[in-house]
């Protein structure tokens, strides 16, 4: 229930539309009642029953035993003046009046019905939009580790599919909790005013069939929740395949992937069939039960008309109309709780995202930092990932002076990437501190801290936008000359102008229209344009062929100029002129110094790695 209240809290900004919708709902229910009620004088006229008077005493009088006196009086008054108005003049005039009234009642009912739906849609869709935006906005605040643990497809499914389920429940409440009870009150009132005995009789018979109908609804809802989860699984498989399409092709795994996908769709298929079966059964079952109830009521009511003579035929028909109008709202209401449960489940899945605490956040009163002046220091830094206790970094200590080129080498899995990920606070150290200009980086505003750094990794990320926007990513309204200048420095200008639309060419998702080297040079141009004082290269050239590597290397050297640089390189030749080299092995710093010093150390890892490359 608390989840549900939380969903409703999103309705607040839309209270005006909601109020309008509720107002229209009230009018709708009243006019709906009026349109049915008008059938009584119509039928009475057509049957040429004696006008005005009921056969015996007024049914309203009979109802007095179960209704408060004031209500009886006012109902009586309304009825009297209504009858006076209608049943004056010739039969033709009466008929015309009734027909016009019916026309207006239906017109009004439908106009208000439309407006009610219109305003409610605004509320519903607005809430959905807000929840989606909140969830998406929150994703950006979550730490990297969150994305490693959650499947992408699952996250996508939550923000798309589950949010849709939540939407259904908003209308469930506002429509069902307001319109249906109102409709019930109106028609029950009409029924009571016609014959309280018959009403009482019907109220006893009706719930019996509604109970069965409600049960069918419950089963359907349960199935639909499971269906929702199955859909998320399908989305996950789909997402994994599309993002990894190259590997799937290269390994000839389409058969395997097809089978995996087919088994998911098969499960979905079976479940849907099961649902359809229940739904198809529900409809005839509901109809038959309704007819059973109807026949019982007609039999009893028919006796009141024909045998007892306490009820006019026109009133009896009006009564039947009212009672049958009661069925759908009662049916809806019996399902409300399930709808709430169902949407709460979906809501939970969405709110799970919103409730994941961003572990890496600004501390209160975080400091601004706009410049890097002296040094970066790792002070006894240890680190392990959330999912295991094994340390990936052990007591790492070093200092990088401003303007230096600092290199990290070591075998794969040694912890190099992890180490540079700590600097922009993608992760926080488990132990120890990282200092910039002797101040713990945790005390800085995260946005400021990240502005100090540019990162170029092996896996370049380009967005599905123009080349220009990719280079100027995150920098709005940048002058074109600057972008071109950066592209030139990154050795990218030449190939960009050869693209079909030059700088305005759209790059496919993840940059698939470009070669690895071209993508890398665009990402270097991006870093150049951002012009951060600290640059980090994580194996930026390792995925490239020799020729592009040369071009990229050249660009990197330009980028290093007048900057503090941290390089992780698989090719040791690229770091020969580094000011300082740190050799990492299994998370421990085992050697440090410059190239000339390290190459002298016999049996050292650096010497070994170096010789391995040039053997
Ligand atoms: P390198 O960049 O030197 O090749 P990494 O820093 O990527 O090494 O990885 C160091 C160790 O941390 C490896 O044993 C790797 O399996 C582990 N590791 C890397 N990323 C994660 C992660 N997100 N969660 C858990 N373990 C990780
Ligand atoms: Mg790495």
């Amino acid at each position: 229930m608390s989840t549900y209240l939380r969903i409703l809290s999103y309705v607040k900004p839309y209270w005006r539309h909601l109020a309008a919708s509720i107002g229209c709902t009230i009018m709708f229910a009243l006019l709906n009642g009026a349109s049915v009620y008008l059938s009584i004088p119509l039928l009475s006229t057509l049957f040429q029953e004696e006008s005005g008077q009921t056969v015996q005493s007024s049914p309203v009088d009979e109802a007095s035993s179960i209704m408060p006196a004031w209500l009886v009086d006012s109902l009586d008054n309304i009825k009297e003046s209504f009858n006076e108005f209608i049943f004056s003049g010739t039969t033709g005039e009466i008929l015309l009046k009734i027909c016009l009234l019916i026309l207006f009642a239906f017109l009004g009912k439908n106009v208000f019905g439309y407006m009610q739906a219109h305003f409610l849609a605004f509320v519903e869709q607005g809430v959905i939009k807000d929840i989606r935006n909140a969830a998406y906005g929150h994703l950006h605040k979550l730490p990297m580790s969150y994305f490693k643990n959650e499947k992408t497809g699952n996250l996508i499914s939550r923000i798309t599919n589950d949010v849709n389920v939540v939407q259904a429940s908003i209308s469930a409440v506002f429509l069902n909790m307001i319109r249906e009870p109102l409709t019930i009150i109106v028609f029950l009132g009409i029924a009571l005013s016609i014959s309280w005995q018959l009403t009482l009789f019907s109220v006893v018979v009706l719930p019996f069939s509604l109970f069965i109908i409600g049960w069918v609804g419950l089963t359907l809802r349960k199935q639909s929740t499971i269906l929702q989860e199955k859909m998320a699984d399908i989305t996950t498989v789909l997402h994994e395949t599309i993002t990894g399409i190259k590997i799937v092709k290269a390994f000839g795994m389409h058969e395997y992937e097809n089978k995996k996908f087919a088994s998911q769709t098969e499960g979905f298929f079976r479940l849907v069939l099961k649902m359809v079966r229940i739904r198809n059964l529900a409809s005839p079952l509901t109809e038959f039960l309704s007819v059973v109830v109807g026949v019982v009521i007609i039999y009893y009511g028919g006796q009141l008309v024909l045998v007892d003579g306490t009820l006019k035929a026109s009133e009896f028909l009006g009564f039947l109309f009212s009672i049958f109008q009661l069925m759908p709202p009662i049916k809806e209401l019996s399902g409300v709780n399930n709808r709430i449960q169902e949407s709460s489940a979906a809501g939970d899945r969405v709110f799970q995202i919103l409730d994941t605490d961003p572990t890496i956040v600004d501390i209160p009163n975080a400091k601004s930092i706009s410049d890097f002046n002296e040094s970066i220091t790792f002070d006894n830094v240890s680190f392990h990932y959330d999912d295991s206790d094994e340390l990936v970094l052990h007591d790492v200590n070093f200092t990088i002076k401003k303007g230096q080129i600092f290199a990290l080498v070591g075998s794969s899995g040694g912890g190099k990437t992890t180490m540079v990920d700590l600097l922009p606070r993608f992760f926080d150290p488990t132990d120890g501190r990282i200092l910039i200009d002797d101040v713990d980086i945790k005390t800085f505003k995260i946005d400021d801290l990240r502005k100090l750094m540019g990162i170029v990794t092996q896996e370049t990320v380009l967005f599905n936008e123009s080349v220009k926007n990719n280079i100027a990513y995150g920098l709005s309204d940048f002058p074109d000359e600057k972008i071109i200048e950066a592209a030139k420095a990154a050795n990218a200008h030449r190939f960009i102008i050869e693209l079909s639309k030059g700088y305005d060419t759209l790059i496919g998702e993840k940059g698939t229209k470009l070669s690895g080297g071209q993508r890398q040079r665009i990402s270097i141009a991006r870093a150049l344009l951002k012009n951060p004082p600290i640059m980090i290269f994580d194996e930026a050239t390792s995925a490239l062929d020799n020729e592009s590597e040369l071009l990229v290397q050249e660009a990197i050297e330009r980028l290093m100029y007048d900057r503090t640089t941290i390089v992780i390189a698989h090719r040791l030749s690229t770091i020969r002129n580094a000011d300082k080299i740190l050799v990492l092995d299994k998370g421990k710093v085992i050697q440090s110094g410059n190239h000339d010093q390290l190459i002298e150390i016999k049996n050292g890892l650096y010497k070994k790695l170096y010789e391995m490359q040039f053997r």
Side-chain angles (χ1 to χ4, degrees), residues 37 40 49 52-68 71-73 75-76 79-80 83 188-199 304-305 309-316 319:
Y37 196 75
I40 300 175
E49 284 174 345
Q53 305 297 306
T54 33
V55 177
Q56 279 192 337
S57 58
S58 160
V60 175
D61 290 341
E62 290 175 17
S64 60
S65 51
I66 52 166
M67 283 203 283
L71 192 63
V72 177
D73 281 350
L75 273 177
D76 248 354
K79 234 184 146 180
E80 236 163 68
N83 281 345
L188 208 59
I190 294 177
L192 273 175
S193 85
I194 294 171
S195 164
W196 68 269
Q197 295 113 313
L198 201 49
T199 309
L304 288 184
V305 176
T310 51
L311 201 60
K312 288 202 289 186
S314 63
E315 287 178 328
F316 177 51
F319 176 87

Side-chain angles (χ1 to χ4, degrees), residues 157-169:
S157 172
R158 284 194 212 177
I159 296 182
T160 53
N161 300 336
D162 284 320
V163 171
N164 278 342
V165 176
V166 170
Q167 179 222 321
S169 79

Side-chain angles (χ1 to χ4, degrees), residues 341-568:
Q341 295 304 331
E342 182 185 286
S343 75
S344 292
D348 275 337
R349 282 160 57 82
V350 179
F351 288 136
Q352 232 170 42
I353 296 179
L354 278 166
D355 289 344
T356 308
D357 273 333
T359 46
I360 296 182
V361 285
D362 282 346
I363 57 161
N365 303 320
K367 282 182 273 196
S368 296
I369 176 171
S370 57
D371 243 331
F372 162 56
N373 295 314
E374 289 182 12
S375 61
I376 301 168
T377 306
F378 272 54
D379 177 20
N380 268 320
V381 172
S382 294
F383 178 80
H384 67 78
Y385 285 99
D386 286 342
D387 48 10
S388 92
D389 288 338
E390 203 182 326
L391 283 181
V392 176
L393 294 175
H394 296 263
D395 287 329
V396 174
N397 287 290
F398 63 85
T399 298
I400 308 170
K401 291 256 179 297
K402 182 178 172 158
Q404 279 188 334
I405 296 174
F406 181 86
L408 281 174
V409 298
S411 24
S412 172
K416 306 179 293 293
T417 300
T418 306
M419 199 149 109
V420 294
D421 276 352
L422 297 181
L423 211 47
R425 290 191 69 195
F426 291 155
F427 303 95
D428 277 337
T430 314
D431 255 317
R433 300 176 308 162
I434 299 170
L435 314 166
I436 286 184
D437 295 344
D438 294 325
V439 181
D440 193 330
I441 57 170
K442 280 188 187 169
T443 62
F444 294 129
K445 288 184 184 148
I446 294 174
D447 285 347
D448 282 1
L449 179 72
R450 290 181 185 163
K451 273 194 194 123
L452 292 180
M453 306 170 194
I455 301 172
V456 177
T457 62
Q458 177 179 350
E459 203 182 275
T460 37
V461 177
L462 300 181
F463 296 90
N464 191 15
E465 291 196 40
S466 66
V467 172
K468 190 159 71 185
N469 284 346
N470 263 291
I471 295 177
Y473 185 68
L475 308 164
S476 45
D477 294 329
F478 225 74
D480 283 3
E481 307 88 74
K482 291 267 182 191
I483 293 174
I484 293 174
E485 198 181 301
K488 278 183 177 160
N491 277 344
H493 180 69
R494 265 223 231 126
F495 81 80
I496 292 173
I497 52 174
E498 278 170 15
L499 296 173
S500 57
K501 289 190 189 139
Y503 280 84
D504 293 318
T505 313
L506 277 186
I507 300 175
E509 199 177 328
K510 288 195 163 180
T512 42
K513 283 186 196 165
L514 300 172
S515 79
Q518 290 171 332
R519 278 163 31 194
Q520 199 58 288
R521 279 175 277 159
I522 286 184
S523 76
I524 290 173
R526 182 192 283 166
L528 272 165
L529 200 63
K530 187 180 173 189
N531 196 19
I534 302 167
M535 266 313 303
I536 299 168
F537 296 96
D538 187 354
E539 314 221 17
T541 58
S542 58
L544 307 179
D545 55 86
N546 284 338
E547 194 192 330
S548 9
E549 181 174 356
L550 220 64
L551 287 169
V552 172
Q553 195 59 44
E554 233 177 69
I556 288 180
E557 267 151 32
R558 263 180 227 141
L559 192 50
M560 283 178 173
Y561 179 74
D562 207 20
R563 243 179 268 274
T564 309
T565 314
I566 301 173
V567 196
I568 300 173

Side-chain angles (χ1 to χ4, degrees), residues 2 40 44 51 60 73 91 188 210 221 224 240 273 276 327 333 366 387 418 468 480 489 521 530 576:
S2 63
I40 300 175
S44 171
S51 63
V60 175
D73 281 350
T91 330
L188 208 59
L210 288 172
R221 298 257 143 70
S224 108
E240 280 175 3
L273 278 192
V276 170
M327 302 263 296
L333 272 186
D387 48 10
T418 306
K468 190 159 71 185
D480 283 3
R521 279 175 277 159
K530 187 180 173 189
R576 281 178 74 155

Side-chain angles (χ1 to χ4, degrees), residues 146-195:
Y146 183 76
F147 297 93
K148 305 234 156 142
N149 294 334
E150 290 287 343
K151 283 187 190 154
T152 314
N154 193 307
L155 285 178
I156 292 174
S157 172
R158 284 194 212 177
I159 296 182
T160 53
N161 300 336
D162 284 320
V163 171
N164 278 342
V165 176
V166 170
Q167 179 222 321
S169 79
I170 297 171
S171 50
V173 164
F174 290 111
L175 217 54
N176 297 350
M177 301 295 232
I178 297 164
R179 188 171 84 182
E180 314 306 5
L182 261 176
T183 311
I184 291 174
I185 291 171
V186 167
F187 285 108
L188 208 59
I190 294 177
L192 273 175
S193 85
I194 294 171
S195 164

